Amino acid sequence: TPTIYDMHRHDVYFWDGRTRDLSDALQTALLHPKELGNRSLQEVVDRLNGDRLAITRLRTARPATATLEYSPAMLLDELGQFVRSLQSGESRFDRFYFDRESTALSEQERLGWEVFSGKGRCVACHTVGARPAFFSDGKLHANASSIDANSESTGNAIRSVLGGSLESALNRVAYDLEIAKLGHFVVSRKLTDIGKVRTPSLRGSAQTAPYMH
């Protein structure tokens, strides 16, 4: 499960980059049977409108309309506003990099940064970006360690995706590892997109194990 901190800085959502619309991403999470499993947005809305405390809080937040109730559009809008508010704060690296405060990192950490930004070439994808450092270019890249494009299982997964609907393939990503490994190919159906996934941010990585995708 990817962290939802700093989602306002992403251009695409989900590892496979299936949408550029945060509301679409939130709706998928609410309705997908392997996630929250609601049958429809209206089911969620009806549940909220039947909750006296939820309605009281809604009308307190929007006092201009005393008879206000939730709608599907309002539900996604308020969820989106909440998710966008989840922003990580300053780190010692930000002081080191942006303020040139060399002592903000230990000697070992500074040596690690030299590898990260130099011979390791990590910054090719995990770009620093604007303050606070995001460590992601937000783009889709193939991860050679996650998929063998010439294996029989990969070939079967490719044929399965091409032989079915986009909706079916995207639903299977949640429970079929071979389909999930195909990355953005599931969305685009382009062979050049096999294994491409969105570069994850490294913000808060100490709290977001396990690693890789």
Side-chain angles (χ1 to χ4, degrees):
T1 304
T3 177
I4 59 173
Y5 271 102
D6 299 313
M7 287 187 71
H8 67 292
R9 298 183 69 172
H10 284 298
D11 293 323
V12 295
Y13 301 99
F14 295 96
W15 292 127
D16 52 26
R18 69 182 66 174
T19 182
R20 293 180 175 273
D21 186 337
L22 179 57
S23 290
D24 185 42
L26 293 171
Q27 179 169 318
T28 297
L30 286 167
L31 302 183
H32 196 288
K34 289 292 185 178
E35 294 196 53
L36 297 179
N38 296 289
R39 288 171 292 184
S40 67
L41 289 181
Q42 191 60 50
E43 177 185 1
V44 183
V45 166
D46 290 343
R47 199 156 58 237
L48 286 168
N49 288 335
D51 185 324
R52 183 178 300 175
L53 180 58
I55 291 298
T56 298
R57 287 176 171 173
L58 173 65
R59 293 173 181 172
T60 300
R62 303 190 184 203
T65 33
T67 59
L68 186 66
E69 290 190 339
Y70 276 99
S71 66
M74 185 185 298
L75 168 67
L76 294 176
D77 178 60
E78 296 206 342
L79 276 174
Q81 290 190 47
F82 166 70
V83 169
R84 291 185 186 94
S85 77
L86 301 175
Q87 301 179 23
S88 56
E90 291 281 292
S91 69
R92 290 186 296 111
F93 177 83
D94 294 311
R95 301 203 311 274
F96 167 79
Y97 184 82
F98 295 104
D99 297 333
R100 300 294 188 262
E101 186 182 326
S102 61
T103 57
L105 298 184
S106 68
E107 182 178 359
Q108 187 175 7
E109 289 168 338
R110 292 195 298 271
L111 289 172
W113 166 245
E114 289 181 14
V115 175
F116 188 94
S117 60
K119 291 184 178 180
R121 300 184 62 234
C122 306
V123 291
C125 299
H126 294 285
T127 51
V128 174
R131 188 173 191 159
F134 192 47
F135 292 109
S136 173
D137 61 4
K139 297 179 181 178
L140 300 165
H141 299 281
N143 180 6
S145 66
S146 67
I147 188 168
D148 179 359
N150 297 314
S151 71
E152 181 179 355
S153 60
T154 298
N156 289 337
I158 290 172
R159 286 188 288 272
S160 177
V161 168
L162 293 176
S165 68
L166 175 61
E167 181 180 4
S168 173
L170 290 176
N171 284 336
R172 290 175 61 191
V173 166
Y175 60 85
D176 189 325
L177 180 59
E178 294 304 320
I179 299 293
K181 284 180 180 180
L182 295 177
H184 193 60
F185 168 79
V186 176
V187 181
S188 71
R189 311 296 177 98
K190 296 178 180 178
L191 295 178
T192 52
D193 285 336
I194 290 175
K196 285 187 177 181
V197 293
R198 188 191 69 197
T199 305
S201 169
L202 300 183
R203 294 294 300 193
S205 56
Q207 287 80 44
T208 55
Y211 304 108
M212 305 304 287
H213 28 64

